[in-house]
Amino acid sequence: MKVLVPVKRVIDYNVRPRVKADQSGVDLANVKMAMNPFDEISIEEAVRMKEKGLATEIVVVSIGPAQAQETIRVGLAMGADRGILVQTDAAVEPLAVAKILAKIVESEQPGLVIAGKQAIDDDSNATGQMLAALLGWPQGTFASAVAKDGETLKVTREIDGGLQTLALQLPAVVTTDLRLNEPRFASLPNIMKAKKKPIDVKSPADYGVDIEPRLSVVKVAEPKKREAGEKVADVDALIAKLKSVGAI
Amino acid sequence: MAVLVLAEHSNAALNDVTAKTVAAAQAFGGDIDVLVAGHNAGPAAQAAAKLAGVRKVIHVEGDVFDHGIAEAIEALVVPMMAGYGAFFAPATSIGKNAAPRIAAKLDVMQVSEITKVIDASTFERPIYAGNAIMTVKSSDAKKVITVRGTAFQAVASTGSASVETAAAPAGPFKSAFVSAEIAKSDRPELASAKRVVSGGRALASAEQFNAVILPLADKLGAGVGASRAAVDAGYAPNDYQVGQTGKVVAPELYVAIGISGAIQHLAGMKDSKIIVAINKDEEAPIFQIADYSLVGDLFKIVPELTSKL
Ligand SMILES: Cc1cc2nc3c(=O)[nH]c(=O)nc-3n(C[C@H](O)[C@H](O)[C@H](O)COP(=O)(O)OP(=O)(O)OC[C@H]3O[C@@H](n4cnc5c(N)ncnc54)[C@H](O)[C@@H]3O)c2cc1C
Ligand SMILES: Nc1ncnc2c1ncn2[C@@H]1O[C@H](COP(=O)(O)O)[C@@H](O)[C@H]1O
């Protein structure tokens, strides 16, 4: 079974994003970028499936600028086999990403797509579900455990209130949650090997997908600032304060 | 332009977030119909009919709706959308799972987790873990929206809408329910609790989390939350996670215990009315947003606080 893993290049999760003064967006100039953390979890899961003999080939796909090649290389160094970069400097919304991925699925015919549950920049939490709908595939979102059982995939999902397990008929889309696994660090020899793995470079037009955004950004503003309050000396002082403001 | 609102419910009762999603739909404008898809969901449909501002409730019965299977919700809603200009769902695990499928089928870019309706095509939503608030204008003819419940005031239960029934989609679907592990608890539900007590990595074990955090929560009548670190380490169940990729809460009182205050955690609680932080590190970032900061060892402070309340 071939596994397709879409990965997004995003701001590193340790960086505190700053809004641009003209409110046109978040300042990404000279900011450390990295693979979306959920996508590292997706790669790790695919590599583990390959190590168990459940997956035959892992294809990493990114839609983004030329530098997204680096993000794909991280996936290749973790154990994926080859990459596809759909290169564009435009901001591509989840709907258009899903449409491009659907075209790639048509030509690559994977048995499984493992996406992240959410990109930590746009926080949309939409692409995997959109792709599943466009393909008419079942989905196992927010996965914390995945087990292949013949032609079905058992996916345990993190839902409000607890956990739910679904049996999906393959092919299917899975989106990963934080507890699915702990991604490995790529070793130096694997990073070297990854440099030789192939990356195909395409454009959105190659797939005939219109990536014109449907949502136009009116502005991007700072959230309301919350001021630090006061230090209280001890438990009695805390209780007195909470009583004085009617919180208890 | 009419709005279809997906109800979140437990069949026997309506979840509070439904009334908040209706409030967002009211701000959007137009007639509001509420879809209650469930299994023995009569009581939830009756409760939805009482929500102020609702034109009618559409009640659909089917066992697939017991488990919120996304394909079934998609199959039900997509044809119905011929009669609606917008679909609003709460940004819960069910809404987040199903709404993007509906959007893709309608060829619409979903606006995820809105916190404000500005007009019928313009919305505010947090991005980058709430470090920026984006205002977007949608050019799609139909809107598909998920709603962050904490940003809207629930509508009152003063209405009396009619209840219609509709047929469930036939299926079969390519995903089948296998099992669920849902913890039963008498504590208030985290997302809608008036008070929340959350514990972090500092609790160091599930036993200590239970021994230190739960008695304080019970004293305060609070819901219980946790940081990602505490959940990853198994000190607390996964659905306790508060944050960018967990639950978003905005209670009257939020008590953060042994939590450092990473941006991903703050994203889920910084709109709380009053924040109390207890941490032994004077420099912990959580103190930068706390109203009341208590520096010290939680294993001494929290039991003392619990006993003195
Ligand atoms: C993609 C992604 C998504 C994430 N999503 C979330 C999310 O939704 N929610 C979330 O919470 N995190 C999330 N995180 C993780 C986040 O970055 C932090 O790692 C996490 O919040 C840290 O948890 P913590 O504060 O409990 O642990 P730590 O950062 O280790 O903090 C523990 C704190 O306890 C204090 N302490 C230790 N002992 C004591 C004591 N005896 N008494 C008092 N204080 C003590 C320490 O001073 C320290 O400040 C996410 C991370 C990523 C990469
Ligand atoms: N530009 C992109 N290129 C590749 N994959 C993407 C892209 N955008 C989103 N994805 C995938 O979709 C997931 C969810 O993203 P989102 O719907 O934007 O929150 C990510 O974790 C990726 O797996």
Side-chain angles (χ1 to χ4, degrees), chain B residues 218-305:
Chain B
D218 290 342
K219 259 291 177 55
L220 289 169
V224 181
S227 71
R228 173 193 174 180
V231 174
D232 282 3
Y235 310 159
N238 59 275
D239 64 305
Y240 282 26
Q241 183 181 312
V242 170
Q244 178 188 17
T245 60
K247 288 208 172 79
V248 176
V249 301
E252 304 282 320
L253 176 65
Y254 187 90
V255 188
I257 299 172
I259 292 177
S260 61
I263 58 171
Q264 292 87 3
H265 188 78
L266 303 187
M269 45 66 77
K270 69 182 160 72
D271 292 328
S272 303
K273 192 146 175 259
I274 291 181
I275 297 172
V276 172
I278 299 169
N279 196 303
K280 70 174 183 193
D281 173 11
E282 217 172 324
E283 305 290 317
I286 190 83
F287 288 140
Q288 291 166 17
I289 63 149
D291 297 283
Y292 303 114
S293 300
L294 192 44
V295 180
D297 181 3
L298 76 90
F299 294 105
K300 284 213 201 79
I301 292 171
V302 179
E304 184 188 342
L305 177 61

Side-chain angles (χ1 to χ4, degrees), chain B residues 7-15 17-18 35-39 41 44-45 65 94:
Chain B
E8 177 91 17
H9 62 86
S10 63
N11 294 313
L14 204 60
N15 188 313
V17 77
T18 305
L35 173 61
V36 178
H39 185 216
F65 296 122
I94 290 177

Side-chain angles (χ1 to χ4, degrees), chain B residues 21-96:
Chain B
T21 307
V22 168
Q26 270 184 344
F28 178 81
D31 291 326
I32 298 169
D33 294 349
V34 177
L35 173 61
V36 178
H39 185 216
N40 301 322
Q46 289 306 325
K50 294 203 180 75
L51 295 179
V54 171
R55 177 176 66 176
K56 70 175 180 201
V57 171
I58 305 168
H59 174 193
V60 181
E61 279 290 315
D63 345 345
V64 277
F65 296 122
D66 242 353
H67 309 298
I69 301 285
E71 297 149 271
I73 299 174
E74 173 204 320
L76 174 65
V77 172
V78 171
M80 292 173 84
M81 287 306 291
Y84 293 95
F87 176 72
F88 275 53
T92 55
S93 57
I94 290 177
K96 288 175 177 174

Side-chain angles (χ1 to χ4, degrees), chain A residues 99 139 141 165 179 214 226, chain B residues 97 140 179 241 272 291:
Chain A
K99 286 179 181 176
Q139 69 188 35
T141 53
T165 302
R179 256 70 62 181
R214 307 292 183 82
R226 203 183 165 110
Chain B
N97 192 36
D140 286 312
S179 61
Q241 183 181 312
S272 303
D291 297 283

Side-chain angles (χ1 to χ4, degrees), chain A residues 128-137 139, chain B residues 74 100-102 104-105:
Chain A
Q129 298 88 315
M130 287 182 159
L131 175 64
L134 294 175
L135 296 168
W137 287 8
Q139 69 188 35
Chain B
E74 173 204 320
R101 288 191 76 109
I102 293 162
K105 275 298 168 72

